[in-house]
Amino acid sequence: MFLSAVVPDPLIPDPDTGQSLLAEELARPEYGSEMSPLTRFFANLLRGIADLFNGEGLGEVPVSSIVLLVFAVFLIALVIIVLLNPVRLLRRQSADLFGEEEATVPLAQERARLAGASGQWEEAVVWEFRACALIAHEKNLLVLSPGLTAKEVVDRLLPHFATASDALKQGRLDFDGVRYGTAHADEAMWRRMQGLSAMVQSGGA
């Protein structure tokens, strides 16, 4: 004796309900294939590059590849901007007067003189101010120490040369501006710096 299961009639939705269910199903993310204009642009770019080298398309381009390409383009653009930018990157103002350089008065004066003779005014100004500081040290007007800044040099010289305070302060601004790229030197600036050195040389004990 055979038993037969009763199979219920299939549920058939009315046209409006069926259309609504279909729209909901197709709206799920896994069915989405539409790309944004930016994504489509880079996808086409990647396909074009592939076609250029091997004549074959890339098919569907992963979003991760597009993100990596955008990042690479950004890095390349940043490198180009840094390399072509004529303005020097600024370092911290009034850093160590000598940095890694070691010098004596004759050496600093000679480097300033040679730079001035060849029209390298920035180099001449920087080394002339250093020569001025070294002269002040030799005349016991200040003590040079690691980390000493141009501002500290001028602050220590001001009590000895009160009538030349404006010239000393301007010398410090010239030195910092030239050394760190915010000012351009010329012969007149170098001559003013030489005047400071001569003043310090003639003053003090």
Side-chain angles (χ1 to χ4, degrees), residues 21-188:
L21 292 174
L22 179 61
E24 291 178 4
E25 180 67 17
L26 293 177
R28 292 170 60 183
E30 51 264 37
Y31 294 110
S33 59
E34 188 68 24
M35 294 186 290
S36 68
L38 182 62
T39 303
R40 189 180 304 111
F41 168 77
F42 284 108
N44 291 335
L45 180 61
L46 285 174
R47 293 191 186 97
I49 293 173
D51 292 341
L52 180 64
F53 286 101
N54 54 33
E56 298 178 1
L58 291 177
E60 291 298 323
V61 180
V63 175
S64 59
S65 298
I66 297 174
V67 172
L68 287 175
L69 179 62
V70 173
F71 183 67
V73 171
F74 171 77
L75 285 180
I76 293 172
L78 182 62
V79 170
I80 292 174
I81 291 173
V82 170
L83 291 179
L84 297 183
N85 190 356
V87 179
R88 285 171 284 181
L89 296 178
L90 299 181
R91 290 177 287 174
R92 185 169 62 90
Q93 292 288 325
S94 291
D96 190 341
L97 181 65
F98 291 93
E100 300 298 323
E101 303 276 0
E102 295 184 5
T104 61
V105 172
L107 177 60
Q109 289 177 328
E110 180 66 8
R111 294 189 67 168
R113 185 188 67 78
L114 291 175
S118 59
Q120 299 177 19
W121 307 122
E122 281 80 7
E123 192 79 2
V125 165
V126 167
W127 278 105
E128 192 63 48
F129 187 87
R130 287 170 173 170
C132 179
L134 288 164
I135 293 170
H137 174 77
E138 286 194 348
K139 297 184 74 64
N140 298 318
L141 300 176
L142 57 83
V143 176
L144 292 180
S145 58
L148 191 70
T149 68
K151 182 179 185 303
E152 290 168 338
V153 168
V154 169
D155 288 344
R156 295 176 190 183
L157 288 177
L158 284 175
H160 303 282
F161 304 97
T163 58
S165 61
D166 290 343
L168 285 169
K169 291 176 182 178
Q170 186 60 51
R172 191 269 295 182
L173 292 175
D174 289 342
F175 172 82
D176 280 343
V178 169
R179 189 182 182 195
Y180 303 111
T182 59
H184 295 287
D186 55 19
E187 184 176 4

Side-chain angles (χ1 to χ4, degrees), residues 12-24:
I12 301 176
D14 59 78
D16 291 339
T17 302
Q19 185 175 3
S20 176
L21 292 174
L22 179 61
E24 291 178 4

